[in-house]
Amino acid sequence: MKKRKMAWRYRYLYLLMLPGLIYLLINNYLPMAGLVIAFKKVNFRTGIWSSPWCGLENFKYLFATKDAWIITRNTILYNLVFIILGLVVSVALAIFLSEMRSRKMRSVHQGCLLIPYIISYVVVSYLVYAFLGSNGLVNKGLLQEMGKNSVNWYLESKYWPFILVFVNTWKNAGYASVIYLATILGFDDSVYEAAQLDGVSPWQKIRYITIPLLKPTIITLTMLNVGRIFYSDFGLFYQVPQNSGAILNVTNVLDTYVYRGLLELGDVSMSSAAGLYQAVVGFFVIMAANALVRKISPDDAII
């Protein structure tokens, strides 16, 4: 009876919550019925539910070829580098912005850092091509002026791990830095004022005050990124290298591998199996990371 009274008392709050719950149900939960596609040999003539079951046959597609090790290695290693380097650069940018006294200049720099994030990877791919194309700025501008031979960047795989890491950091670090900056600006100024009175240097202030206070935010964002370690940004690995076959050994990841497989085979079931595999593995990875954080620093664990 008491619960009913409480529910009636807060009925208007529940009504406000209802649109969000309906959206969550439609967008996040109802589509989960489609996971059945991963275990079926879908024939659209008979329909999804009438299609025959095939067990784990669709999952074999990810591991049955010689490319399985390459795409798994690329996906994991690239994401590890993205997480570590992105964390360092974004925190450094946030601290740099927080040290700026002029709010107007801080807003200008913040806007400049956000511009790459909102640019489509299609546009980014053309920007990269403008630099690395056969008649691009690097070949015709830098290398030619230095008296060196031009490089056919889109046929040389050894350069692309560095190019992809640079492009990803340039595009995404600004967005993450804004989140860290918002956290820093919410810190109590009296802590910094007290440290300044004690003669603390700027570096010591960053090391012993800012970074420790940022730790919960760093852990949360890092764990979210770790949960997507088996996912990769399709635009980065497909659009930016211009789908060049000569450099597939360093640009082919799970998402692009499945996409190319769909173009050749047109099998939706295999694509669904890959998505389920990435989601399940990501779930266990983030749970393991959370367990590790809970063991080291229980207060900073998500759950």
Side-chain angles (χ1 to χ4, degrees):
M1 193 68 178
K2 188 177 180 180
K3 290 182 178 179
R4 290 182 181 179
K5 287 183 178 179
M6 289 291 289
W8 179 254
R9 180 180 178 183
Y10 296 109
R11 60 189 181 278
Y12 296 114
L13 293 178
Y14 290 132
L15 284 174
L16 289 173
M17 187 173 61
L18 191 60
L21 287 176
I22 293 173
Y23 171 81
L24 193 67
L25 178 66
I26 295 173
N27 190 71
N28 292 60
Y29 286 93
L30 289 181
M32 290 182 69
L35 293 177
V36 71
I37 297 174
F39 304 96
K40 286 197 169 194
K41 201 71 176 176
V42 175
N43 184 343
F44 288 104
R45 292 182 179 179
T46 58
I48 294 175
W49 301 108
S50 300
S51 298
W53 294 92
C54 64
L56 299 176
E57 288 295 320
N58 292 322
F59 293 89
K60 292 181 181 179
Y61 164 73
L62 292 172
F63 308 102
T65 66
K66 61 180 181 180
D67 297 324
W69 159 247
I70 294 175
I71 62 174
T72 304
R73 177 203 65 188
N74 289 346
T75 303
I76 295 175
L77 291 182
Y78 273 123
N79 279 324
L80 284 175
V81 175
F82 292 164
I83 291 170
I84 297 170
L85 186 62
L87 172 64
V88 173
V89 173
S90 57
V91 170
L93 287 173
I95 293 173
F96 168 74
L97 290 173
S98 69
E99 292 295 320
M100 298 181 70
R101 295 289 172 245
S102 172
R103 290 187 177 182
K104 185 178 291 187
M105 288 303 298
R106 183 193 299 162
S107 299
V108 171
H109 284 81
Q110 191 173 330
C112 292
L113 289 173
L114 276 175
I115 289 174
Y117 181 77
I118 62 177
I119 297 176
S120 165
Y121 264 116
V122 176
V123 178
V124 172
S125 68
Y126 284 108
L127 290 175
V128 174
Y129 186 78
F131 280 90
L132 303 182
S134 56
N135 294 315
L137 180 63
V138 175
N139 282 330
K140 293 297 182 181
L142 297 178
L143 296 180
Q144 195 174 69
E145 291 296 324
M146 294 169 65
K148 295 186 178 182
N149 296 327
S150 297
V151 177
N152 199 333
W153 300 94
Y154 289 89
L155 296 178
E156 297 283 348
S157 61
K158 61 184 178 181
Y159 301 113
W160 278 93
F162 304 100
I163 295 171
L164 292 174
V165 169
F166 175 81
V167 172
N168 180 79
T169 305
W170 168 77
K171 194 174 189 303
N172 296 308
Y175 175 76
S177 69
V178 172
I179 300 175
Y180 291 121
L181 176 62
T183 306
I184 293 173
L185 295 179
F187 294 159
D188 189 355
D189 290 337
S190 62
V191 178
Y192 292 100
E193 291 171 1
Q196 193 171 358
L197 290 173
D198 289 337
V200 173
S201 66
W203 168 245
Q204 289 175 323
K205 182 175 69 173
I206 293 169
R207 182 179 177 184
Y208 295 109
I209 300 176
T210 304
I211 292 179
L213 289 175
L214 266 181
K215 188 172 72 168
T217 306
I218 291 173
I219 290 174
T220 301
L221 293 181
T222 302
M223 287 182 62
L224 292 175
N225 289 327
V226 166
R228 295 186 58 83
I229 200 167
F230 270 78
Y231 288 86
S232 50
D233 199 317
F234 179 82
L236 175 64
F237 291 98
Y238 189 83
Q239 298 285 355
V240 175
Q242 303 282 325
N243 194 25
S244 174
I247 56 176
L248 278 182
N249 61 320
V250 295
T251 61
N252 204 12
V253 290
L254 273 168
D255 295 82
T256 57
Y257 179 72
V258 172
Y259 178 76
R260 292 186 180 99
L262 279 172
L263 287 179
E264 296 173 5
L265 304 175
D267 197 327
V268 179
S269 301
M270 292 178 181
S271 177
S272 180
L276 179 59
Y277 164 71
Q278 289 173 297
V280 171
V281 172
F283 171 77
F284 283 110
V285 168
I286 198 170
M287 292 302 292
N290 185 71
L292 181 62
V293 171
R294 193 190 305 116
K295 188 175 182 179
I296 298 172
S297 179
D299 295 336
D300 296 320
I302 296 178
I303 55 175

